Amino acid sequence: MVRGKRPGEFEQVVLLTLAGFRSDATGREVYERLTETTGREVSLAAVHITLQRLHEKGWARCHTSAPAASEGGKPRRRYALGPDGARMLGDLREQFDRLWGEASVHPLLADDRG
């Protein structure tokens, strides 16, 4: 991962939520899944702004769909995880897996709940 090109915590949450869709998704769909899954109270505008920023950084793809009657007859921006975003998320996962492996020796984090 390029130094200085690491996403912030909310960008990671939005990107991971986006990665959970099999195909592209609207900002509202990402917002609904994110709030349902995480229980976080965030604004729809914050999700839209973050999706646009992820697109500008090359981590998400964006296109405008044709107007559909089911969506009020308006074209919608749709987002999908991009190849660079997938690589970046994979790199982050490896880093966190290593860190969690090392942290698991700490008595307060040791997995002896069983």
Side-chain angles (χ1 to χ4, degrees):
M1 186 176 342
V2 177
R3 186 175 174 88
K5 285 266 298 180
R6 183 176 179 164
E9 187 263 343
F10 189 65
E11 287 178 325
Q12 289 179 42
V13 170
V14 172
L15 201 56
L16 280 168
T17 302
L18 185 61
F21 287 89
R22 289 194 175 273
S23 61
D24 57 9
T26 64
R28 177 166 290 284
E29 291 169 329
V30 173
Y31 164 81
E32 289 172 355
R33 184 168 295 172
L34 185 151
T35 56
E36 179 182 311
T37 303
T38 66
R40 288 177 76 155
E41 291 186 27
V42 299
S43 70
L44 177 59
V47 172
H48 277 287
I49 291 166
T50 302
L51 284 167
Q52 185 59 37
R53 190 168 52 242
L54 292 169
H55 171 66
E56 290 167 2
K57 291 180 177 183
W59 295 332
R61 293 176 296 146
C62 177
H63 71 92
T64 303
S65 66
S70 64
E71 296 179 340
K74 295 181 180 179
R76 301 280 188 231
R77 282 190 179 169
R78 302 189 66 85
Y79 296 89
L81 180 66
D84 289 344
R87 276 190 294 279
M88 184 270 306
L89 284 176
D91 291 347
L92 284 172
R93 183 175 187 167
E94 287 177 15
Q95 290 173 14
F96 279 107
D97 285 349
R98 283 192 307 271
L99 289 169
W100 272 107
E102 293 171 9
S104 66
V105 300
H106 192 282
L108 295 175
L109 296 174
D111 191 15
D112 53 19
R113 293 174 242 155

